[in-house]
Amino acid sequence: MAASAIRPARITRVLPDSIAEEIGFEPGDALVAINGQPPRDLIDYRFLCADEDLTLEVLDTRGKTHQVDIEKDIDDDLGLEFETALFDGLMQCNNACPFCFIDQQPPGKRGTLYLKDDDYRLSFLYGSYLTLTNLLPQEWERIAQMRLSPLYVSVHATEPEVRSRLLKNPRAGQILDQLAWFQAQRLQIHAQVVVCPGINDGEHLATTLQDLARFHEGDVPAVASAAVVPVGLTRFRPPGDELTPVTQAQARQAIAQVQAFQADCRRRFGTNFVWLADEWFLIAQQEVPDEGHYEDYPQLGNGVGSIRQFLKAFQQSADDYLPETVSPPRTLTWVVGNAVGHAFQPIVDRLNTVQGLTVRLAALASDYWGRDLTVTGLLTGHDLLLGLRDVSDAPNPAQNEPPSQHHALGDALLLPTVMLKPSDSGDPKDTLFLDDLSVAEISQRLGCPVIPIDDTDALVRACCCDLPDDSFTDLQPAAGYWTPS
């Protein structure tokens, strides 16, 4: 991309006690160039800042340009954070996959929900999946020169005609040649296969897994791991998309097929190599595998082993922080997707052994997306209002009456932050669900405080902390709670 298309990198935060703070950088300043080269993205920024001697061109908030010379130890970080990792814009998808979640959303929501990320840089930095169909020769060259590995690739099928049909793109049929390129460059990918019944399952899935396994051989396997994920469909998906949801029988068949392939991989490679997303077992109404099955969790971003990891993490958090009793007594409602309701019941049972603590599990399906089986991250504000309204419709009590005695939801809602995204305002109270409803609005309409929880430590501490009042408190570094006004 031409330098003229690279925007100055807008600074949003200057880390305390950092080189940047000492020099006098402020949020709102913009980084234009490092040693004369405009950084295209966070990758360039990190690479260029590895030098000991830096000359920075900086644009301050008043529009004035400054030159800043810095001497530092090699690899010392400057302590700057930016509003985006991509200073030259997002590389968007040029495919038309019918199962794309972006195309399965209703119109009229905030613009960021409709951005189709297919950017290899975000794949390298954050583990997002890309298809490799939009890369120009210079981008392939950059991946090789900068050793951007591993990347995360949505393969779906290795047969050219099947993959082209799924992605609605004739260039999608080049996937085997592209995997051979990674192998020749001694670079790695983690592969994803979204299974669509009747299109890339059965024999096609067998071919895909066999092809991917061929690239797992050698001292630097080109395909480090593969995840098999069931297609997720919403009621907003385009008409005539050829897709059908995975049934219980199909889930059980896929589990048996992949588990047989895993056994063969263990004999050949000493590893499962390919893993099933937890959702297969939830659809099939089968128990997820034991913890040891997941090895080092190479496909956690695809929901592979996330339930087992959460259960293990909770046990450690309970051992570290859970007391025998809490005072004053409190009742809390923990909201999760109904897909994990059964799996998380042991956590609720353990929490309820604490004297004075009552935790109720509200395992909700998503009416908004039209999904009978719903993971927690897809629940919306609409789903909470609909699913909790029957237990939250209670009159306001006298002020001196404990909340848990009058409100069926209890003293507060425990809300996993996986449901939430920051708003454009940056105000924590404006944090949004996928349907653009804010947490503050949900708290007000349900008449109940909301405690955001982002991990098992936060879950346990929220159960044992002081009850909400009319202000924020530090339950976790980036959390507090919202109270209805």
Side-chain angles (χ1 to χ4, degrees):
M1 181 170 290
S4 60
I6 301 174
R7 299 186 298 271
R10 188 71 56 186
I11 297 167
T12 55
R13 185 181 177 213
V14 180
L15 298 183
D17 303 319
S18 64
I19 295 172
E21 183 184 57
E22 181 179 348
I23 291 172
F25 278 94
E26 297 179 350
D29 292 341
L31 184 60
V32 178
I34 304 170
N35 291 341
Q37 181 172 332
R40 292 164 288 184
D41 45 45
L42 197 57
I43 298 171
D44 271 354
Y45 166 77
R46 292 175 178 174
F47 177 78
L48 295 170
C49 284
D51 285 346
E52 293 177 310
D53 298 313
L54 303 179
T55 297
L56 309 181
E57 183 182 343
V58 181
L59 187 67
D60 68 22
T61 55
R62 296 173 294 278
K64 184 178 179 181
T65 300
H66 304 265
Q67 180 175 300
V68 180
D69 295 318
I70 298 174
E71 291 184 10
K72 65 178 185 62
D73 292 336
I74 195 167
D75 291 337
D76 269 0
D77 184 61
L78 295 183
L80 296 174
E81 293 183 358
F82 304 95
E83 64 180 351
T84 176
L86 307 176
F87 313 146
D88 59 1
L90 177 71
M91 295 177 63
Q92 295 204 50
C93 186
N94 60 0
N95 306 301
C97 307
F99 51 84
C100 176
F101 186 75
I102 303 301
D103 292 334
Q104 293 192 70
Q105 299 184 87
K109 302 301 179 182
R110 60 190 186 275
T112 53
L113 292 177
Y114 305 104
L115 293 176
K116 290 189 176 183
D117 162 29
D118 200 14
D119 200 305
Y120 69 96
R121 299 165 299 175
L122 296 183
S123 184
F124 173 71
L125 291 168
Y126 306 120
S128 60
Y129 278 83
L130 76 158
T131 64
L132 303 174
T133 60
N134 66 352
L135 295 183
L136 298 174
Q138 59 265 33
E139 306 296 350
W140 286 102
E141 184 178 351
R142 187 187 186 206
I143 291 171
Q145 288 180 343
M146 300 193 74
R147 313 302 295 169
L148 302 184
S149 175
L151 298 182
Y152 295 77
V153 177
S154 293
V155 173
H156 306 321
T158 53
E159 296 166 277
E161 65 279 6
V162 178
R163 191 168 194 256
S164 294
R165 175 185 175 188
L166 280 169
L167 274 61
K168 302 292 190 292
N169 186 340
R171 295 181 62 185
Q174 302 171 9
I175 186 63
L176 287 176
D177 291 338
Q178 291 166 341
L179 294 179
W181 181 89
F182 280 94
Q183 186 177 57
Q185 298 295 327
R186 296 176 66 82
L187 299 173
Q188 291 187 305
I189 72 159
H190 292 279
Q192 175 194 67
V193 178
V194 174
V195 173
C196 302
I199 301 178
N200 65 335
D201 58 349
E203 293 182 359
H204 298 299
L205 176 59
T207 298
T208 296
L209 297 181
Q210 289 164 5
D211 286 340
L212 292 176
R214 288 195 292 109
F215 291 99
H216 187 68
E217 299 171 346
D219 58 334
V220 183
V223 180
S225 71
V228 179
V229 183
V231 65
L233 304 177
T234 81
R235 64 186 178 92
F236 301 109
R237 72 181 193 269
D241 59 11
E242 305 180 88
L243 302 180
T244 59
V246 174
T247 66
Q248 182 184 78
Q250 289 168 336
R252 292 181 174 180
Q253 183 179 7
I255 290 170
Q257 179 182 4
V258 173
Q259 287 181 337
F261 191 80
Q262 287 174 326
D264 183 58
C265 288
R266 287 194 296 271
R267 288 190 294 269
R268 295 169 57 190
F269 309 126
T271 174
N272 284 321
F273 170 63
V274 58
W275 278 270
L276 289 151
D278 292 355
E279 195 171 353
W280 288 108
F281 300 97
L282 302 176
I283 297 172
Q285 296 185 5
Q286 296 180 3
E287 292 295 322
V288 296
D290 294 334
E291 179 189 347
H293 169 83
Y294 296 105
E295 301 175 17
D296 60 350
Y297 293 93
Q299 287 278 355
L300 193 61
N302 265 316
V304 177
S306 56
I307 289 177
R308 280 294 170 212
Q309 188 181 69
F310 194 88
L311 293 172
K312 179 183 179 181
F314 170 78
Q315 185 58 55
Q316 185 62 55
S317 298
D319 292 343
D320 290 344
Y321 304 114
L322 201 61
E324 294 183 359
T325 184
V326 296
S327 181
R330 75 283 311 272
T331 297
L332 304 170
T333 298
W334 180 23
V335 181
V336 299
N338 66 339
V340 297
H342 173 73
F344 285 0
Q345 189 58 47
I347 295 178
V348 177
D349 294 341
R350 174 69 179 89
L351 292 171
N352 286 330
T353 64
V354 177
Q355 185 176 354
L357 176 63
T358 300
V359 176
R360 301 167 179 163
L361 191 66
L364 307 180
S366 178
D367 174 79
Y368 182 84
W369 299 112
R371 297 186 60 157
D372 294 331
L373 192 69
T374 306
V375 296
T376 302
L378 288 183
L379 288 178
T380 66
H382 166 89
D383 296 323
L384 266 66
L385 293 175
L386 181 66
L388 300 176
R389 65 182 179 184
D390 292 338
V391 294
S392 63
D393 188 14
N396 290 327
Q399 289 186 345
N400 61 352
E401 187 176 352
S404 59
Q405 294 183 14
H406 71 83
H407 202 302
L409 291 176
D411 299 292
L413 288 180
L414 304 177
L415 196 69
T417 56
V418 70
M419 305 178 195
L420 308 173
K421 299 295 180 186
S423 70
D424 293 338
S425 73
D427 187 336
K429 288 192 175 184
D430 291 335
T431 302
L432 301 175
F433 293 87
L434 283 173
D435 59 355
D436 282 353
L437 289 176
S438 72
V439 174
E441 180 178 356
I442 296 303
S443 175
Q444 181 177 17
R445 291 177 64 177
L446 289 176
C448 187
V450 171
I451 303 176
I453 53 174
D454 54 11
D455 57 21
T456 57
D457 282 356
L459 170 63
V460 171
R461 288 170 172 166
C463 290
C464 306
C465 71
D466 292 338
L467 293 176
D469 51 25
D470 292 327
S471 61
F472 282 92
T473 186
D474 290 329
L475 300 174
Q476 280 291 99
Y481 54 79
W482 293 269
T483 57
S485 59

